[in-house]
Amino acid sequence: MKFEYVVSGLTMGIDDLYYNPVVAAPYIKHMNQKITDLDARFENQNLSLLYNAHQERKHGVTMTETMNDSWHRLFADSGGLQMARTSKGITPELKDKVYHHQAKYCDVAMIFDEIPIEFDLSLIGGNSMKASLLGRRFDRSDIKRAATATLANVKRQIEVFKQEDSKAKMMLISQGQSVETYREYIELICNGLSDDEIDMFVCGVAPSSLCNGNSFAHRCEMIYAMKEYQIPDVIKNNVHLLGVGNHEALSPFYLSPDYFSFIENLSYDSSSHASSWFYSRYRNKDFVNIDVDVVHRSKKGLSQIHSDQLLPVINEIFEYDRETLNDFGITEPMQLINDSTKWSVENVNGDRRFWKDHDSAIHGRYLTPWLWVTNTIGNFMIELDRRINNPVDTTGLGSITSYDEFINNWLSRQRAPEKVPEHWPGVLDV
């Protein structure tokens, strides 16, 4: 099985460096080399990128033009969740705009999926529609309608891809709360597609936990149910996991490799490490977390922040990327800190962004976030390699050989929180 880290939310980490070709021009050769090196570090791991084809179309254009050969694949999200939060909602016109963009600028296109969930009116905006179990119920009777509507979306997406003579392929999504409902949903979609449509335009399936729950046990139930899907191998062999923030979310695959032997490629998207610079946190090569204090909020003095927190990070960045930094006149860790970061001794006003007005300092302003983020991602991949080669099973998942064993011997013993309810409570708190 190959593991494919799909970076999402990169804007939050490095601002416009990766989608503004003018800003990136001095660094693009080094940026491409960094991604190429990370992608090639392990034979069984790759590095790809996800952007939002509704809100971040410019990103797809720029990545296709400047970094298409370094990222393993470019994934384009549909932006359906963001559209659903607006007053206009998801319209055929908006969907078509996304389809035409995906057809031109990505390798893997996420679909618009209908979800068999009913929301009350308590969830407005934010991430609550995705993360909270409150204010929603799973509608088992709506599976067929939702899957049929999703199939219609997929058919339209295929029409547009044919018009554009696109080589992009779609990642289907399965929704459900049990193996029976997951199967009903995804099998209806697959059975509605011809063999040619699947071969030409479909590359895999992404199971979703929106109808189930967010706990580890809920996600394991979603993951282990995939073995029971009766769908074409070209889809079943290529799985994408949505929103993976830690290694534990991937643990079923390295703890139960025989159970998941049907999977050839496991891609997973994560924004956790792309935001590491924004939140001033770093995972080193031993995957130890380092939080770097904000100076004016810290009980530590600046020199102590430098010595205890920041220098261990910057020293490791120099260990990995000294040649790149030297190419731009940056030769010492303290030079980089004081010339190009908010932790500079000369940042007396406590500005959130700080850099001096000369060439190497400006270069450091752009390179530091890029190298901070990409090394955090690289260190996640190093730790995953350790866990694949030396798995430590504290969960009992390693003994699972069949779905019946999973349900009866593992899931039944978990103290998991409640799933998404199927019925509204008897008394509404209004």
Side-chain angles (χ1 to χ4, degrees):
M1 182 191 306
K2 285 200 169 187
F3 292 80
E4 182 180 0
Y5 189 128
V6 183
V7 184
S8 67
L10 201 52
T11 307
M12 190 176 186
I14 61 168
D15 203 19
D16 63 348
L17 177 63
Y18 92 102
Y19 66 85
N20 186 329
V22 176
V23 173
Y27 319 107
I28 196 67
K29 177 182 176 182
H30 295 78
M31 292 168 67
N32 273 304
Q33 190 61 53
K34 183 68 174 179
I35 299 305
T36 298
D37 290 346
L38 291 174
D39 181 61
R41 177 179 281 171
F42 300 105
E43 289 185 0
N44 63 337
Q45 293 192 59
N46 291 111
L47 186 61
S48 296
L49 178 74
L50 170 71
Y51 68 94
N52 189 305
H54 171 57
Q55 294 182 321
E56 300 175 331
R57 290 179 188 143
K58 185 177 180 181
H59 301 196
V61 176
T62 304
M63 284 297 95
T64 299
E65 292 175 350
T66 63
M67 298 189 73
N68 196 39
D69 293 333
S70 53
W71 296 107
H72 181 64
R73 293 193 291 181
L74 294 180
F75 287 62
D77 192 17
S78 66
L81 181 64
Q82 290 73 28
M83 291 183 197
R85 293 171 180 164
T86 66
S87 58
K88 183 181 289 187
I90 302 173
T91 67
E93 294 75 20
L94 287 175
K95 286 190 287 189
D96 271 9
K97 285 183 179 180
V98 168
Y99 297 153
H100 282 284
H101 175 90
Q102 289 174 324
K104 296 176 182 177
Y105 297 110
C106 76
D107 302 301
V108 180
M110 307 307 284
I111 66 170
F112 284 94
D113 57 314
E114 294 281 334
I115 307 170
I117 284 282
E118 183 181 4
F119 293 95
D120 67 15
L121 299 180
S122 64
L123 301 180
I124 302 175
N127 283 321
S128 57
M129 291 177 69
K130 178 170 64 174
S132 174
L133 303 188
L134 301 175
R136 67 168 71 178
R137 75 174 187 91
F138 170 57
D139 187 354
R140 188 178 298 266
S141 67
D142 195 41
I143 286 281
K144 184 175 182 179
R145 181 213 62 81
T148 301
T150 300
L151 173 60
N153 288 338
V154 170
K155 288 283 193 178
R156 175 57 185 160
Q157 198 164 2
I158 289 173
E159 287 180 11
V160 173
F161 283 15
K162 286 181 177 178
Q163 292 171 16
E164 297 285 358
D165 194 23
S166 176
K167 294 181 180 180
K169 294 197 173 187
M170 291 176 290
M171 185 69 67
L172 303 180
I173 295 179
S174 60
Q175 298 283 358
Q177 192 175 86
S178 62
V179 66
E180 295 80 14
T181 51
Y182 275 114
R183 283 191 56 186
E184 181 181 0
Y185 187 98
I186 189 60
E187 289 173 17
L188 189 153
I189 295 171
C190 291
N191 289 339
L193 298 172
S194 70
D195 291 344
D196 285 346
E197 287 174 328
I198 289 172
D199 289 342
M200 293 178 64
F201 296 110
V202 180
C203 65
V205 59
S208 169
S209 61
L210 277 176
C211 301
N212 195 9
N214 298 320
S215 74
F216 180 69
H218 294 147
R219 287 182 67 90
C220 282
E221 183 177 11
M222 172 192 79
I223 289 168
Y224 278 82
M226 292 187 297
K227 191 180 182 77
E228 303 299 301
Y229 291 1
Q230 300 300 306
I231 60 177
D233 287 345
V234 69
I235 301 175
K236 189 174 179 178
N237 293 351
N238 296 279
V239 172
H240 182 79
L241 287 189
L242 304 162
V244 170
N246 53 56
H247 294 100
E248 286 67 31
L250 298 173
S251 62
F253 303 97
Y254 58 76
L255 294 176
S256 304
D258 292 339
Y259 183 94
F260 293 104
S261 61
F262 63 92
I263 299 178
E264 296 177 358
N265 193 82
L266 175 70
S267 55
Y268 58 95
D269 64 69
S270 176
S271 60
S272 298
H273 309 109
S275 61
S276 58
W277 167 257
F278 183 86
Y279 289 113
S280 304
R281 63 188 180 214
Y282 183 84
R283 288 276 187 173
N284 67 16
K285 59 187 175 184
D286 296 319
F287 215 64
V288 175
N289 186 64
I290 301 173
D291 288 310
V292 184
D293 288 358
V294 177
V295 176
H296 69 273
R297 298 180 196 160
S298 179
K299 295 180 180 179
K300 301 177 185 289
L302 182 58
S303 61
Q304 190 177 2
I305 292 174
H306 283 176
S307 61
D308 294 353
Q309 299 174 348
L310 189 56
L311 270 173
V313 176
I314 301 300
N315 285 338
E316 184 171 281
I317 290 175
F318 265 82
E319 180 183 337
Y320 281 133
D321 299 291
R322 179 177 292 277
E323 185 175 344
T324 292
L325 293 165
N326 288 174
D327 283 348
F328 292 93
I330 305 164
T331 58
E332 298 296 335
M334 287 307 303
Q335 173 197 357
L336 180 61
I337 291 170
N338 285 322
D339 285 2
S340 306
T341 79
K342 64 184 177 182
W343 296 283
S344 171
V345 293
E346 296 184 41
N347 185 17
V348 293
N349 295 323
D351 294 335
R352 188 170 65 87
R353 296 182 180 184
F354 177 87
W355 61 90
K356 295 180 182 178
D357 189 19
H358 60 78
D359 286 349
S360 65
I362 295 170
H363 294 320
R365 171 222 171 172
Y366 288 110
L367 289 171
T368 306
W370 172 254
L371 298 175
W372 184 300
V373 166
T374 52
N375 285 328
T376 300
I377 291 167
N379 289 339
F380 181 94
M381 297 170 74
I382 290 173
E383 177 64 16
L384 178 59
D385 183 67
R386 290 192 195 104
R387 295 185 182 217
I388 292 170
N389 291 316
N390 298 287
V392 177
D393 186 6
T394 61
T395 64
L397 289 170
S399 64
I400 301 300
T401 60
S402 70
Y403 190 70
D404 285 343
E405 282 186 13
F406 170 77
I407 291 292
N408 297 321
N409 299 344
W410 192 86
L411 187 62
S412 62
R413 299 178 181 178
Q414 306 306 306
R415 296 181 179 178
E418 294 294 322
K419 293 184 176 184
V420 176
E422 290 197 50
H423 306 284
W424 297 119
V427 179
L428 294 177
D429 182 14
V430 294

